[in-house]
Amino acid sequence: MFSFLHSSDLHIGKRFGNLPEDLRGRLREARHGVIGRLASAAREHGADVILLAGDTFDTETPTPAVLRQALGEMARNASLRWVLLPGNHDSLLADQLWSAARGVVPDNVILATEAAPLPLGPDVILLPAPCTTRRPGRDLTEWMTGAATPDGSIRIGLAHGPIQEFSEDATATNVIAPNRAALAGLDYMALGDWHGSVAVDPRTHYSGAPEPDRFKHDRPGQAMVVSIAGQGAMPTTTTVATASFSWQTLHLPLLASEDGVEALKAALPEPFARRQTLLRVALSGRARLNGRTAMTSLLQQVAPEFAHLEIDTELLGTDCESDDLEIIDRAGALRDTADLLLAESLDQSRSGDDRRVAREALIRLFSYCEAIDR
């Protein structure tokens, strides 16, 4: 039985420039810390090899500190062997990166920078397909089909890139044959690039990122433990949790007649988990004006408990009735303004953007007046 850990897309050194400055350092440290968590998972499941299927580093020019500290952490876990495959973010075009890595690489780290068979153990051969550039534009795994390995050897492919719609890059072409495992007689194909775990077929898997970095996939970070009894045997896979942060999207469809605040309270993550949670709250459906502002107020109150909180109301319609406007004022300039904004927000002759601006202005006016009344 040969067991190994399959992971990818660590993106060590990612800057997270679109997030608040005080959070960026925590997220960057979490990406470095995942090396130790992968090592612990491998040892716990009896694996002594960790395959990183590309994008170990976020850029082709990581700082010397990022490179040396990552390799140093791998060296600290000396009982394990690490195999690093160049991905599209850290491709072979990054001569400086891989030259620097070769100069300091620890004995237990293998740089899979050539498309050539690599022995991982008795009767176990790795066939890597390093990314030559960010967008190679061809199937770099094609060489595996004709690659000769000793009779009886377990054949494992290692590659980074899209299969059909699985690419992280919407402009990428379909470059990896989905049936490469069958074409090349592989016992397992370990893929990277898609940040969520995907089973293409029983022998071909994307491991997913061990530490999420966006809301897109909306699932915990994980890696895969793979065990193969021998050549031709079907691999068994076990997912293991590896993330320190959780990126969650809370979808909350609403009816104007329901209490949105209570529904929101019931759906929010438990308080003990919030410090390590980046939460996107996506409200949809219909809500009364006072209910909408009450939900926004609740989210503003709990936001400091989370690592990060975003509110998406793009798909939330707002119903406004006369008693809602009376909270603003029964008469006078404020009420006249509210009536005008309401009329503009409902005027189908206006553009969608103009109606949205009027609606947001009315909601803000309502919230200001409601706060004054308190």
Side-chain angles (χ1 to χ4, degrees):
M1 180 71 70
F2 180 71
S3 297
F4 60 94
L5 190 78
H6 168 200
S7 187
S8 70
D9 298 280
L10 277 63
H11 288 276
I12 297 171
K14 187 178 178 72
R15 296 184 180 276
F16 295 98
N18 60 327
L19 291 172
E21 186 174 355
D22 59 348
L23 179 58
R24 297 174 199 167
R26 293 177 60 200
L27 294 174
R28 285 195 294 269
E29 184 58 29
R31 311 209 77 69
H32 175 81
V34 80
I35 297 173
R37 294 192 292 278
L38 289 174
S40 296
R43 285 192 291 265
E44 181 180 347
H45 289 84
D48 63 1
V49 173
I50 297 177
L51 302 182
L52 300 182
D55 287 359
T56 300
F57 302 100
D58 188 58
T59 71
E60 295 179 338
T61 56
T63 66
V66 167
L67 173 62
R68 297 288 290 272
Q69 290 172 20
L71 294 177
E73 183 64 18
M74 294 175 192
R76 196 170 72 85
N77 293 277
S79 62
L80 302 170
R81 284 178 296 158
W82 303 76
V83 179
L84 277 60
L85 181 82
N88 62 331
H89 279 253
D90 51 9
S91 73
L92 287 174
L93 197 62
D95 293 333
Q96 183 177 352
L97 164 60
W98 296 107
S99 294
R102 290 186 191 97
V104 295
V105 63
D107 292 339
N108 66 324
V109 175
I110 299 170
L111 305 180
T113 55
E114 295 183 13
L118 281 172
L120 293 181
D123 301 323
V124 180
I125 303 297
L126 180 70
L127 305 177
C131 284
T132 53
T133 65
R134 189 173 181 87
R135 293 183 178 87
R138 59 189 177 90
D139 187 349
L140 297 173
T141 69
E142 190 172 4
W143 80 275
M144 298 178 186
T145 298
T149 55
D151 291 342
S153 296
I154 294 173
R155 289 164 62 92
I156 299 172
L158 182 65
H160 184 96
I163 291 181
Q164 297 180 349
E165 72 273 23
F166 301 138
S167 174
E168 285 294 307
D169 187 340
T171 65
T173 54
N174 305 338
V175 294
I176 295 179
N179 60 341
R180 180 59 63 196
L183 293 174
L186 303 178
D187 296 290
Y188 185 82
M189 170 66 98
L191 294 174
D193 184 37
W194 186 249
H195 287 201
S197 176
V198 175
V200 179
D201 61 45
R203 295 188 184 276
T204 306
H205 292 261
Y206 285 94
S207 64
E211 185 70 37
D213 61 359
R214 67 196 75 182
F215 291 111
K216 179 176 180 179
H217 299 285
D218 202 23
R219 65 180 66 190
Q222 61 183 43
M224 298 186 67
V225 177
V226 184
S227 297
I228 306 174
Q231 184 188 45
M234 192 62 67
T236 61
T237 59
T238 303
T239 58
V240 292
T242 54
S244 62
F245 280 90
S246 174
W247 295 62
Q248 300 179 25
T249 298
L250 170 58
H251 294 280
L252 190 63
L254 299 165
L255 298 174
S257 58
E258 72 178 303
D259 188 336
V261 170
E262 290 304 313
L264 184 56
K265 286 180 179 178
L268 287 173
E270 294 294 333
F272 69 86
R274 294 177 182 178
R275 186 175 186 274
Q276 294 299 111
T277 298
L278 292 88
L279 182 67
R280 175 177 170 267
V281 180
L283 303 175
S284 61
R286 308 294 301 181
R288 288 283 300 275
L289 186 56
N290 59 346
R292 180 178 180 133
T293 57
M295 287 186 289
T296 301
S297 177
L298 171 62
L299 290 173
Q300 290 171 343
Q301 290 174 23
V302 300
E305 301 173 19
F306 289 86
H308 181 67
L309 191 147
E310 297 179 5
I311 307 172
D312 180 358
T313 58
E314 185 69 23
L315 298 179
L316 180 64
T318 305
D319 294 336
C320 187
E321 299 182 9
S322 59
D323 55 344
D324 294 321
L325 296 187
E326 287 177 2
I327 293 176
I328 296 174
D329 209 340
R330 291 182 180 275
L334 284 178
R335 178 55 183 265
D336 290 342
T337 301
D339 288 335
L340 177 61
L341 290 173
L342 176 60
E344 291 182 356
S345 71
L346 299 174
D347 186 354
Q348 294 299 316
S349 67
R350 293 177 174 270
S351 69
D353 285 343
D354 285 346
R355 295 197 304 273
R356 184 163 49 251
V357 169
R359 183 179 67 246
E360 294 300 325
L362 177 60
I363 292 168
R364 182 163 298 188
L365 177 61
F366 181 90
S367 63
Y368 287 158
C369 293
E370 193 177 41
I372 292 171
D373 287 343
R374 295 197 193 102

